[in-house]
Amino acid sequence: MSVPTRFPRLRLLPLVAALGCATPSTPTSPAASVARAQGAASAPASSAPVSKEALASLEAELVAKHGEAQRARIERGVEQVATLWRAEDGDLAAFAREQFLPEGPRLDATFKRLEGLFEQFDGHMNELGRELQWFTDLDLGPLLPVEPLLAAYDPSSNVTSDLFQAKPGFVVLLNFPLTTLEERTKDGPAWTRRQWAEAKLASRFNRRVPAAVEQKVSQAIADANLYIAEYNVWMHHLVDAKGQRLFPQGLRLISHWNLRDELKADYTDPQGLAKQRMIVQVMERIVTQSIPATVIDNPRVDWDPFTNQVTVAPAASVEPNAPERPAKADPAPEPDTRYARLLATFQASRRADPYSPVAPTRIARSFDLDRGLPEARVRALLTQLLESPLVPRVAKLIESRLGRPLEPQDLWYPGFRPGSKVPEAQLDALTRKRYPTADAFARDIPRILQGLGFTREKADMLTSRIRVDASRGAGHAQPALRRGDFPRLRTRVEKGGMDYKGYNIAVHELGHNVEQVFSLYEVDHTLLSGVPNNAFTEALAFVFQARDLELLGLGKPDAQSERERVLNDFWQAWEIAGVALVDMATWHWMYDHPDATPAQLREAVAGLSRDIWNRYYAPVLGGKDSPLLGIYSHMISYPLYLPDYPLGHLIAFQIEEHLKQHGPLGAEFERMAIFGSVTPDEWMRHATGAPVSADALLRATAASL
């Protein structure tokens, strides 16, 4: 998972602002759309204090001065400034006379100066934030009381507000175009790279959110991240009705990532079915908050998740050097903390809504601005997967392999992956020996990259720009935002070394880091660094992750493994599509019930999870009324991130299909990654020759069956 950075360049907009919603039959300027929306949103700050007559006079004056050829730029620029100008900003006309630049050398020089400056702004703010979160992100021992407070502070929260107040933000709006999503989609294919970069520059200033509001959002998300990072279950202390311990001593799994991955690994275990059913019960209790609070990250109590009974663990069962926790058999449930964290993020996000007339909800900002894909289109892609007639056919194949009816845990069936029949204990032994520390993985990156098809020279260059850390949580990739800084690869490394789960995550995060290096160092305009949205960096990371066993010397590709790869991609995309729908539905519910309590939100999420499960999953997997789809931790710590995963699977599959015909992987990966953060379909056409679609995966799945 690539952590969505909270710093100015990407926090504001990974894509150009979708200003307005003009239809083809009713052309509307971005500024006019903003003005209408501001009136509807009742933004607290006064805006557009200059009369229409005064603006028209100013535009005529500037046209007379700079020539008729500049009229369109002048009219658009003045409207863009007027939309966000406040009375306290001073004399708009005097500002425009001084700062409007006609096309030519001075405009070019200003563009170049701003591009270089914002790389430094973004990069250094990103580094400051990384330092503030250092101890909450990394496994460096118990936290000091001050650490969560430092992690919640966003040093960049004042930047955009200050740039408006100091006027550089208005210089950008006066001289460079804000664009609508419709404009980028329709006209973007004919744009020059400079035009794309100008649009991206202007998008930074499409709204004027007070710094205090931005800070509240950052604090809520940081609090949620820390809550999730420390949400562990000590598996040896799960007991069944007979008091049996199914899991080995010392196994500590974070929710949901490690719980899910352990469930996948248990298909090769003789006791696997019993283990899986127990993990499902744990997951469902986390979603419904019926999990006893005392069992969370506590190796000093035993818990039967089926009866929900808690007992004090016998001294002999407690792990050596286990953290100090209360050894108290208290069955009291977690007090809806999970949903209190989510509500806090929602309430903080709502405070930004009145200042974001172009996208007046977090939902709209997530889809129209951050993804550059309308929510309706994303929902249609997810529904196309969920309702595919291929689902029961693939399910029947899985059922024949397992020799039993499918159950809810088979949502995560991994048996199509090469090497999936290798017991995880064997894989753990291999990875722990090879990677006793995070540094050991870092030293092996050049070999891994060459194994993926990168030249030795390219592998050495990439390795020199990536740093590896042991993560407190499940793992993530953190980008660098200026050349000279280093992307960070974080994965969990337990005391006995990196187990297979940690290794699998590390290979995924390495994919993010390689994309981050290419898209920063080799892109032609740093304003375009990155990819269109998080789904694309997830897709590129999936390309790496799919080869993790091959990099260990297992799972060599052949015709059969190619067929299995297709089926695996389909099943994974089908699984996460429903999870994404739960995430989306949850945010709609919160906007419909803005005064909800954590308990009410808990009931809503459980209900939405059951409804989507019953509609799409129960006919295939059974388990009517299961709330299992609500388990994903992203829903709490990374607002509306989950739709990026099914999109990422679709994009990754299109990339894989392209790589089968055009190689090697290293050169093609680089060519794709350096294209930058344009619209999703424009990026995909450059990468694979076709826009984002589910069709390639569905066609290949049908052929594989």
Side-chain angles (χ1 to χ4, degrees):
M1 178 181 68
S2 178
V3 172
T5 180
R6 60 184 183 172
F7 307 105
R9 178 174 64 87
L10 297 182
R11 184 198 67 217
L12 286 179
L13 285 182
L15 290 175
V16 180
L19 284 169
C21 301
T23 64
S25 59
T26 311
T28 307
S29 73
S33 298
V34 174
R36 285 202 312 271
Q38 273 191 320
S42 301
S46 60
S47 59
V50 184
S51 69
K52 291 182 179 180
E53 293 76 15
L55 290 178
S57 175
L58 173 61
E59 290 167 1
E61 177 186 341
L62 292 175
V63 170
K65 178 179 179 180
H66 297 290
E68 188 65 30
Q70 300 301 310
R71 177 180 291 277
R73 288 188 62 246
I74 289 168
E75 291 177 349
R76 189 167 198 167
V78 169
E79 284 187 47
Q80 289 174 174
V81 169
T83 300
L84 297 180
W85 193 270
R86 298 172 184 168
E88 60 267 28
D89 293 322
D91 187 339
L92 187 155
F95 169 81
R97 293 186 194 103
E98 179 182 350
Q99 293 294 337
F100 178 77
L101 300 170
E103 292 171 322
R106 292 181 67 206
L107 181 66
D108 295 343
T110 300
F111 170 81
K112 186 175 180 180
R113 176 75 175 95
L114 291 172
E115 181 170 43
L117 178 65
F118 283 123
E119 180 188 347
Q120 298 304 312
F121 254 133
D122 297 340
H124 288 295
M125 287 297 176
N126 184 54
E127 291 165 63
L128 284 171
R130 186 173 64 221
E131 290 299 320
L132 289 163
Q133 295 175 319
W134 194 261
F135 286 89
T136 56
D137 278 353
L138 302 187
D139 190 8
L140 300 172
L143 293 173
L144 297 171
V146 74
E147 298 298 349
L149 302 179
L150 293 172
Y153 171 59
D154 180 357
S156 71
S157 61
N158 289 322
V159 169
T160 302
S161 178
D162 288 350
L163 289 174
F164 272 118
Q165 187 173 352
K167 302 296 193 296
F170 286 118
V171 172
V172 171
L173 291 179
L174 184 62
N175 290 286
F176 300 101
L178 289 167
T179 59
T180 64
L181 180 58
E182 180 188 359
E183 285 175 316
R184 295 192 303 281
T185 301
K186 179 182 176 182
D187 303 331
W191 284 357
T192 65
R193 297 288 290 178
R194 164 71 181 265
Q195 285 176 294
W196 276 111
E198 287 186 1
K200 189 67 179 287
L201 172 61
S203 75
R204 303 174 64 102
F205 299 102
N206 73 10
R207 48 199 159 118
R208 196 174 180 180
V209 182
V213 174
E214 296 279 20
Q215 184 62 54
K216 286 290 186 183
V217 176
S218 295
Q219 181 174 345
I221 293 174
D223 291 345
N225 267 282
L226 182 58
Y227 165 76
I228 290 297
E230 296 187 324
Y231 205 108
N232 296 290
V233 178
W234 290 79
M235 303 302 285
H236 184 61
H237 297 279
L238 300 182
V239 295
D240 62 15
K242 298 179 181 178
Q244 298 180 100
R245 302 177 189 276
L246 302 183
F247 298 93
Q249 192 171 34
L251 185 61
R252 181 185 65 138
L253 301 182
I254 193 169
S255 174
H256 76 284
W257 295 275
N258 288 168
L259 288 172
R260 175 203 60 192
D261 292 344
E262 176 66 25
L263 188 153
K264 290 182 177 182
D266 289 334
Y267 280 93
T268 59
D269 190 310
Q271 289 185 293
L273 190 57
K275 288 182 173 182
Q276 290 173 334
R277 289 170 176 166
M278 183 174 279
I279 292 172
V280 166
Q281 190 67 29
V282 171
M283 289 179 164
E284 291 186 348
R285 289 201 180 278
I286 292 172
V287 175
T288 61
Q289 292 286 264
S290 57
I291 181 173
T294 192
V295 309
I296 300 168
D297 204 17
N298 190 352
R300 299 184 184 277
V301 294
D302 291 339
W303 174 41
D304 179 347
F306 294 97
T307 64
N308 224 18
Q309 290 185 334
V310 182
T311 56
V312 175
S317 73
V318 178
E319 285 73 3
N321 303 315
E324 288 299 326
R325 296 288 189 273
K328 185 178 179 182
D330 185 354
E334 185 181 11
D336 293 325
T337 311
R338 181 180 182 89
Y339 299 105
R341 295 297 184 202
L342 177 54
L343 267 181
T345 300
F346 165 69
Q347 295 294 357
S349 298
R350 280 186 70 214
R351 294 184 64 185
D353 291 351
Y355 301 97
S356 307
V358 297
T361 67
R362 180 98 195 197
I363 302 167
R365 295 191 287 277
S366 175
F367 288 94
D368 297 347
L369 306 187
D370 294 349
R371 287 189 181 88
L373 289 171
E375 183 185 5
R377 183 175 172 194
V378 174
R379 189 181 301 278
L381 287 169
L382 301 182
T383 305
Q384 186 180 4
L385 281 171
L386 291 167
E387 295 181 346
S388 170
L390 298 171
V391 173
R393 294 177 61 191
V394 178
K396 186 175 180 180
L397 176 58
I398 296 172
E399 191 170 283
S400 69
R401 293 187 178 189
L402 294 176
R404 61 167 173 78
L406 298 188
E407 298 183 12
Q409 68 269 13
D410 299 315
L411 181 69
W412 293 290
Y413 174 75
F416 295 123
R417 295 186 68 234
S420 60
K421 295 180 174 58
V422 180
E424 182 141 347
Q426 181 178 332
L427 294 173
D428 286 342
L430 179 58
T431 57
R432 283 175 178 143
K433 181 178 180 181
R434 186 173 291 188
Y435 307 119
T437 64
D439 286 343
F441 184 85
R443 290 192 295 270
D444 200 34
I445 288 177
R447 180 198 65 81
I448 292 173
L449 293 176
Q450 289 177 70
L452 289 167
F454 293 91
T455 66
R456 180 175 179 178
E457 294 74 18
K458 198 68 70 172
D460 288 343
M461 181 277 289
L462 291 164
T463 303
S464 71
R465 294 193 168 116
I466 296 171
R467 299 293 181 267
V468 181
D469 307 311
S471 176
R472 183 179 293 274
H476 60 266
Q478 190 173 77
L481 300 184
R482 69 169 183 87
R483 291 164 293 184
D485 188 23
F486 303 100
R488 315 297 297 204
L489 187 160
R490 272 78 183 267
T491 192
R492 180 169 283 201
V493 183
E494 299 289 2
K495 288 182 173 59
M498 186 185 294
D499 60 19
Y500 173 68
K501 295 180 184 68
Y503 164 76
N504 175 265
I505 290 171
V507 175
H508 177 93
E509 307 308 339
L510 181 60
H512 287 307
N513 291 141
V514 170
E515 173 266 302
Q516 290 159 0
V517 172
F518 281 140
S519 66
L520 174 62
Y521 279 86
E522 297 190 12
V523 72
D524 51 355
H525 286 284
T526 55
L527 286 165
L528 295 174
S529 62
V531 288
N533 59 48
N534 287 318
F536 285 80
T537 190
E538 290 297 346
L540 292 169
F542 288 147
V543 170
F544 272 44
Q545 189 176 16
R547 291 158 173 80
D548 71 326
L549 291 172
E550 184 181 337
L551 294 167
L552 289 175
L554 304 169
K556 291 293 183 182
D558 55 24
Q560 177 62 19
S561 66
E562 171 59 19
R563 172 179 179 266
E564 299 279 299
R565 178 188 71 81
V566 171
L567 297 174
N568 182 66
D569 287 349
F570 175 81
W571 197 252
Q572 285 189 306
W574 176 72
E575 171 257 318
I576 200 67
V579 173
L581 283 185
V582 171
D583 197 15
M584 294 158 64
T586 296
W587 276 84
H588 279 285
W589 188 92
M590 288 191 293
Y591 270 102
D592 290 340
H593 303 83
D595 299 319
T597 65
Q600 290 170 330
L601 178 57
R602 177 237 306 154
E603 290 300 310
V605 171
L608 292 167
S609 300
R610 292 184 180 110
D611 290 345
I612 293 172
W613 180 272
N614 289 342
R615 181 172 182 179
Y616 297 113
Y617 295 91
V620 178
L621 303 175
K624 187 176 184 295
D625 290 333
S626 171
L628 196 56
L629 296 173
I631 188 56
Y632 272 66
S633 298
H634 305 76
M635 194 163 73
I636 309 304
S637 55
Y638 298 107
L640 281 167
Y641 190 96
L642 284 164
D644 288 327
Y645 280 109
L647 290 174
H649 281 296
L650 297 180
I651 295 163
F653 191 84
Q654 289 180 264
I655 291 172
E656 291 281 12
E657 291 294 284
H658 174 84
L659 291 174
K660 284 164 59 177
Q661 304 297 325
H662 306 86
L665 183 153
E668 283 299 290
F669 191 103
E670 180 178 6
R671 181 184 67 82
M672 295 175 186
I674 67 174
F675 198 58
S677 53
V678 295
T679 56
D681 287 336
E682 184 70 6
W683 194 97
M684 282 299 292
R685 279 190 287 266
H686 168 80
T688 70
V692 178
S693 170
D695 294 343
L697 177 57
L698 296 177
R699 283 195 304 268
T701 302
S704 294
L705 288 168

